[in-house]
Amino acid sequence: MAHDDYIPMHARVAEITDETPTEKTFTLEFVEDELPFRPGQFCTISVLGAGEAPFCIASSPARSDAIQVTVRRYPQGTVTSALHELAVGDYVGVRGPMGNGFPLEEFTGRDILVVAGGIGLPAVRASILYLLEHRSAYRNVTLLYGARTPADRVYNDDLAQWEQSPEIVCRQTVDMKDEADDWDGHVGLITTLFEPLDMDGPQTTAIIVGPAVMYPFVVAECRQKGITDENMYFSLEAQMKCGVGKCGHCAMKDKYVCLDGPVFTYAQMREMQEY
Amino acid sequence: MAEPTAYVLKAEDLRPAVERLFELGEEVIAPTAPAPGDVFYRPVQGVDEIEFEFGNALVSPVQFLMPAKEVLFEYELRPGQPPEITPPEPPSERILFGIRPCDIAAIECLDQFFIEREPVDTLYEQRRQRTTLIALACAEPAADTCFCSCCEGTGPVAESGYDVQLSLVGEVYLVEFATEKGERIRQQWQDLLEPATEELFAAREAQLRYMIENLFEPDSNLAAAIRRVTGDNVDPEAWEEIGADCYSCGACSYLCPVCTCYDVMDVPYDESRGARIRRMDSCRLGGFTREATGHIARPTEASRARWYAYHKLSHDYHEQRSNYGCVGCGRCIIACLGQIGMPTVCKLIRQPQAERAS
Ligand SMILES: Cc1cc2nc3c(=O)[nH]c(=O)nc-3n(C[C@H](O)[C@H](O)[C@H](O)COP(=O)(O)OP(=O)(O)OC[C@H]3O[C@@H](n4cnc5c(N)ncnc54)[C@H](O)[C@@H]3O)c2cc1C
Ligand code: SF4
Ligand code: FES
C-alpha cells in the first residue's frame, strides 16, 4: 500500500443492490486510483464521520477500477449503518488491498471445494469468479452454500446462474424455512450437503468461509472426505482497526490476521487458536 | 549505530552545555518537576525549567514519538464531490533531553516495530527522523521499582539507541556521541569536552557492575519467564491467578513505553468537518477483540493476561521489536491496581505446577 497508510482513496457509489433485509452490495468506482487485488483480499471502507471497517472484496479481480463489497448491517453498527444509509452518487473512502488472499494459482490442477455459510459467500465470490474465469486450469469446482433461511440468501442472480452452469457444481441449503417461503431446495445444515458428494479428497483443496460456529463441523466433514488440514483454507474474522499490522487488534498467536491472513490453513489455525 | 565517540564533560558544565541546545532553534523536551516529586517530560524554553535531579517520569517520553492521541487526517465533506482530506502537518525537529536508558530501549523497540517492519508507519517515522535523543544513564536505580538489570541490557546504561548519552561517573560525565544527529551536538559542545580515557570507561563499567549486583531487586528473572512462555511451559493456573488480580483497567499497557496498540475512530467537529484519529488502546480491556458478531476472542481476564505475557515475553515476537516487550522501567508495578506488575507476573509464570498445588 502507498506510504500514506491512513489516507483513503475516493470512490463513488455507482450501484446499490439490496440482497436481503440486512445486506446490501455496493459497487464502488474509484475516482482517480485503481485497486488491483487478489481473490480473498479485503479493503477498509470509510464513511467519514462514522468511521472505517474492513470488508472482503466480492467482485472479480479482473476489474480494478471498481470493486464490489457486500455489507451486513449490524443494528447499532456505526459504519455498517452509515453505509446502508448511502445513496448512489455518494462518496466513500477505500484503503487496500489488504491481507494475503487465497493462493488460487497454487491450486491449479486440483479439485476445488468452496464452502460458504451465510455472510461467508461475499468473502469467496471473488475466488469463484476467478476460478470460472480460469476454469481450464482447475478440475472440478464445487460450491456448497448454506444460509439461515431462504430470505437470508445473497447473490440470488449469481447462484441461479451457477446452478445452471456446467462449469461449477452448486449446491445450496437453508437451515430452516417457513410455510410462506417460496423455496423448494434443500433444507438442513450445510454439513448435510457433503454426504452425497463424490470427492477425491487428497486431490481437493477446500476454501471455507462462514460463521466460526460452522468451522468444527465443516472440518470434520472435510477430513471425512480425505481433505488434509493443510488443504483447508479459511478466511478469519477479527476486530481490525488499522489493517496494516500496527494497531494490534487482530493479533493471534504470532500472526496479524490483517497482514499474515485473513487466509490461513486449518493446520495454521490449530496453532493459533488458543491465543 | 556507528562506534560512539566518547568525551568527558565536567559535571558543572552540564547546565551550560544544555543551555546551548536551545541555540539550535529546535523544540527541546526535557524532564520538569512542576511540583516536588512529579516529573513530566515537557517542552521547555530554557535550562532553568529543567529538572536534573530526577528518577524517571511516570509517563514515558515515548509519548512524544507515539502520542496517546493523534490526528491521522482531517476531512471536509463536500456535496456532490469527494470529501477533502488533509493530512497532518509534518512534525518539526526536536531534541528529547534526559531520556533514561529503559526508555531509549523502548524507542528501539518502537523503531523496529513501526519502521523496520513493513509497512512503515509514516507518522511515527517522520517524528522519529526529526528527533534527537540525548540519554541520561542511571548512576543508581531511578526507583525501587526498576528492574532493567534483568532485561537484556536495557539499562541502567544504554548500549545503543541514543544519539548522545551522558553517564555520570564520579565528578564527570562520560559523553558518547553515536550518530550524525549526535555529532551536531558534539560540535556545539566542542570547547567543553575532553577526550575520554580508558580509565573512565573502566570506572563506568565498575559502577555498572556494582549497581547490577547490589542495588537492584534481582528476583524478577525475566529470562526464565521468557523461556517458559516461549516453550509454552506455563502452568495454566498461573493465568487464572494473574487474571484474578486484574481489574481490566489497562493502566499497565497505557504506561508501558513498549506497548503500541491503538484504536482508530472518527471525531466529527460539525456536520461536515472532522478528523480521523488514533488513540492508545489496551489488550487488557474486555472489548479489545470484540468482533461485529459479538464474539470476543479473549473474553476473560485470564485469557488476556496470558496474551499480554505471550506478546511481551514470547520469542515469537522478539524479531518484530528487536527485544522482548519489557524494558524494566517498572511503570506497570506502580500503575497496577492489583499486585501484578511484570516482576510478579514473571514470578507466577515461573512457579511450577507442583509448587502451586502444595
Ligand atoms: C477481514 C474482514 C473481512 C470482512 N468482510 C466483511 C464483508 O465482506 N461483509 C460484511 O458485512 N462484514 C465483513 N466483515 C465484518 C465487518 O468488518 C464488521 O461488520 C464491521 O466492522 C462492523 O462495523 P460497525 O462499525 O458497523 O460495527 P460496530 O459499531 O463496531 O459494532 C458491531 C456490533 O457490535 C456491537 N457493539 C458495538 N460496540 C459495542 C459495545 N461497546 N458493547 C457491546 N456491543 C457493541 C454493535 O451493537 C454491533 O452490533 C469483515 C471483517 C473482517 C475482519
Ligand atoms: S529501569 Fe533502569 S534505565 Fe530505566 S529508569 Fe530504572 S534504573 Fe534507569
Ligand atoms: S488490524 Fe491493526 S494490526 Fe491488524
Side-chain angles (χ1 to χ4, degrees):
Chain A
M1 241 170 29
H3 77 282
D4 21 18
D5 311 318
Y6 294 101
I7 311 281
M9 304 183 270
H10 298 301
R12 185 178 162 276
V13 178
E15 199 184 329
I16 301 175
T17 313
D18 289 319
E19 302 282 355
T20 71
T22 52
E23 276 129 0
K24 288 185 182 185
T25 296
F26 297 85
T27 305
L28 308 173
E29 284 176 0
F30 292 103
V31 174
E32 285 167 346
D33 314 78
E34 300 229 338
L35 191 144
F37 67 96
R38 298 157 48 87
Q41 285 191 303
F42 65 98
C43 60
T44 66
I45 313 270
S46 293
V47 181
L48 293 176
E52 169 178 57
F55 298 96
C56 295
I57 308 176
S59 46
S60 161
R63 248 190 108 174
S64 56
D65 60 330
I67 57 167
Q68 287 180 320
V69 292
T70 299
V71 177
R72 168 176 290 183
R73 175 185 197 150
Y74 282 90
Q76 280 122 47
T78 324
V79 178
T80 55
S81 299
L83 274 164
H84 274 244
E85 299 297 318
L86 293 181
V88 168
D90 286 343
Y91 289 91
V92 295
V94 180
R95 289 192 302 135
M98 290 164 179
N100 54 358
F102 293 103
L104 296 180
E105 63 291 343
E106 289 173 22
F107 305 162
T108 50
R110 295 179 61 81
D111 289 343
I112 311 293
L113 172 69
V114 182
V115 184
I119 189 69
L121 194 56
V124 295
R125 184 166 174 256
S127 298
I128 297 171
L129 295 173
Y130 177 95
L131 291 169
L132 294 175
E133 282 154 20
H134 300 78
R135 187 62 191 85
S136 59
Y138 300 89
R139 296 204 319 182
N140 296 325
V141 177
T142 307
L143 166 66
L144 308 182
Y145 172 49
R148 218 166 51 83
T149 72
D152 291 318
R153 294 165 63 257
V154 296
Y155 304 149
N156 280 292
D157 292 351
D158 285 339
L159 288 162
Q161 205 187 327
W162 296 337
E163 288 223 304
Q164 300 303 317
S165 167
E167 313 244 278
I168 178 169
V169 176
C170 175
R171 298 256 170 83
Q172 304 182 53
T173 186
V174 295
D175 296 351
M176 53 189 158
K177 68 165 189 170
D178 270 343
E179 299 287 294
D181 283 329
D182 170 27
W183 173 256
D184 52 14
H186 190 87
V187 180
L189 296 179
I190 195 161
T191 43
T192 59
L193 295 178
F194 278 81
E195 182 62 34
L197 283 185
D198 184 18
M199 279 187 347
D200 181 358
Q203 274 306 313
T204 303
T205 296
I207 293 175
I208 304 160
V209 189
V213 288
M214 164 188 120
Y215 289 167
F217 303 102
V218 170
V219 167
E221 293 293 335
C222 286
R223 283 180 173 164
Q224 179 87 31
K225 293 281 182 190
I227 304 174
T228 62
D229 290 3
E230 287 73 21
N231 283 321
M232 291 180 218
Y233 288 81
F234 289 78
S235 178
L236 296 190
E237 216 189 286
Q239 190 185 129
M240 291 187 184
K241 292 297 183 181
C242 71
V244 291
K246 305 291 187 202
C247 78
H249 279 267
C250 72
M252 279 173 91
K253 188 84 192 275
D254 58 340
K255 303 275 191 291
Y256 287 89
V257 176
C258 67
L259 276 188
D260 306 311
V263 173
F264 295 100
T265 65
Y266 194 64
Q268 291 175 306
M269 277 164 65
R270 280 196 331 243
E271 298 280 304
M272 288 155 55
Q273 248 155 10
E274 258 189 89
Y275 289 83
Chain B
M1 199 150 73
E3 266 301 293
T5 49
Y7 293 83
V8 185
L9 176 78
K10 288 200 216 78
E12 68 263 28
D13 284 341
L14 181 62
R15 273 175 169 268
V18 172
E19 197 136 40
R20 292 191 194 173
L21 296 176
F22 294 90
E23 291 163 13
L24 289 166
E26 299 174 13
E27 185 176 41
V28 177
I29 291 157
T32 66
D38 280 352
V39 179
F40 292 96
Y41 286 87
R42 290 196 303 191
V44 291
Q45 312 305 325
V47 71
D48 292 340
E49 291 175 45
I50 298 176
E51 176 60 52
F52 289 91
E53 306 285 316
F54 72 106
N56 201 352
L58 186 57
V59 179
S60 165
V62 303
Q63 63 172 307
F64 294 98
L65 292 165
M66 187 58 192
K69 190 165 123 187
E70 130 172 71
V71 169
L72 299 174
F73 60 79
E74 291 183 302
Y75 65 82
E76 179 168 0
L77 305 176
R78 302 176 299 182
Q81 290 181 72
E84 183 161 316
I85 291 183
T86 316
E89 291 288 320
S92 49
E93 306 276 341
R94 57 188 175 189
I95 298 170
L96 291 193
F97 171 79
I99 312 300
R100 293 302 186 191
C102 47
D103 288 322
I104 294 279
I107 292 170
E108 285 190 286
C109 289
L110 299 191
D111 288 353
Q112 177 76 19
F113 183 73
F114 282 123
I115 302 176
E116 307 290 321
R117 183 175 154 277
E118 295 272 333
V120 175
D121 190 291
T122 321
L123 295 168
Y124 176 87
E125 185 190 36
Q126 285 180 347
R127 270 193 299 269
R128 184 64 183 90
Q129 283 168 345
R130 292 164 207 207
T131 303
T132 302
L133 297 175
I134 305 185
L136 203 52
C138 294
E140 57 184 87
D144 56 11
T145 42
C146 291
F147 60 103
C148 54
S149 58
C150 62
C151 294
E152 307 249 314
T154 57
V157 173
E159 287 173 0
S160 58
Y162 55 85
D163 297 302
V164 181
Q165 172 163 250
L166 296 146
S167 314
L168 185 62
V169 186
E171 299 291 293
V172 298
Y173 283 98
L174 171 62
V175 193
E176 294 158 285
F177 299 94
T179 60
E180 264 174 47
K181 286 182 202 161
E183 171 58 19
R184 207 171 46 116
I185 310 249
R186 191 193 65 78
Q187 285 170 12
Q188 262 222 328
W189 291 356
Q190 200 143 23
D191 57 300
L192 300 172
L193 302 170
E194 298 278 339
T197 57
E198 290 291 325
E199 289 75 48
L200 189 58
F201 273 102
R204 183 179 66 173
E205 187 59 25
Q207 175 178 309
L208 178 64
R209 287 288 126 228
Y210 177 80
M211 281 172 77
I212 290 177
E213 279 156 27
N214 301 294
L215 301 183
F216 284 93
E217 284 281 337
D219 81 336
S220 67
N221 200 350
L222 211 70
I226 286 166
R227 277 196 300 278
R228 282 197 176 260
V229 172
T230 304
D232 204 7
N233 181 24
V234 182
D235 176 10
E237 198 47 41
W239 310 123
E240 299 297 331
E241 272 181 47
I242 301 166
D245 205 24
C246 174
Y247 294 80
S248 296
C249 71
C252 51
S253 59
Y254 290 141
L255 287 181
C256 177
V258 188
C259 274
T260 47
C261 290
Y262 56 86
D263 192 9
V264 177
M265 57 174 56
D266 285 8
V267 183
Y269 302 151
D270 58 35
E271 286 281 283
S272 62
R273 293 171 325 113
R276 175 159 298 164
I277 65 163
R278 65 174 163 189
R279 113 188 149 171
M280 208 183 244
D281 205 346
S282 169
C283 67
R284 300 308 285 256
L285 306 183
F288 189 76
T289 56
R290 181 176 20 75
E291 294 157 27
T293 54
H295 174 73
I296 296 182
R298 292 186 283 273
T300 61
E301 284 85 357
S303 61
R304 297 192 289 275
R306 181 182 184 203
W307 167 252
Y308 189 77
Y310 174 80
H311 190 207
K312 287 190 163 294
L313 303 181
S314 164
H315 199 78
D316 292 349
Y317 272 96
H318 190 282
E319 240 167 76
Q320 301 193 355
R321 254 186 331 237
S322 77
N323 208 322
Y324 295 98
C326 174
V327 292
C329 71
R331 291 182 174 100
C332 56
I333 308 172
I334 301 167
C336 184
L337 294 175
Q339 301 289 330
I340 46 165
M342 192 51 109
T344 313
V345 167
C346 288
K347 208 165 115 198
L348 291 170
I349 286 173
R350 289 193 326 262
Q351 199 169 13
Q353 196 160 19
E355 230 173 79
R356 193 166 265 117
S358 64

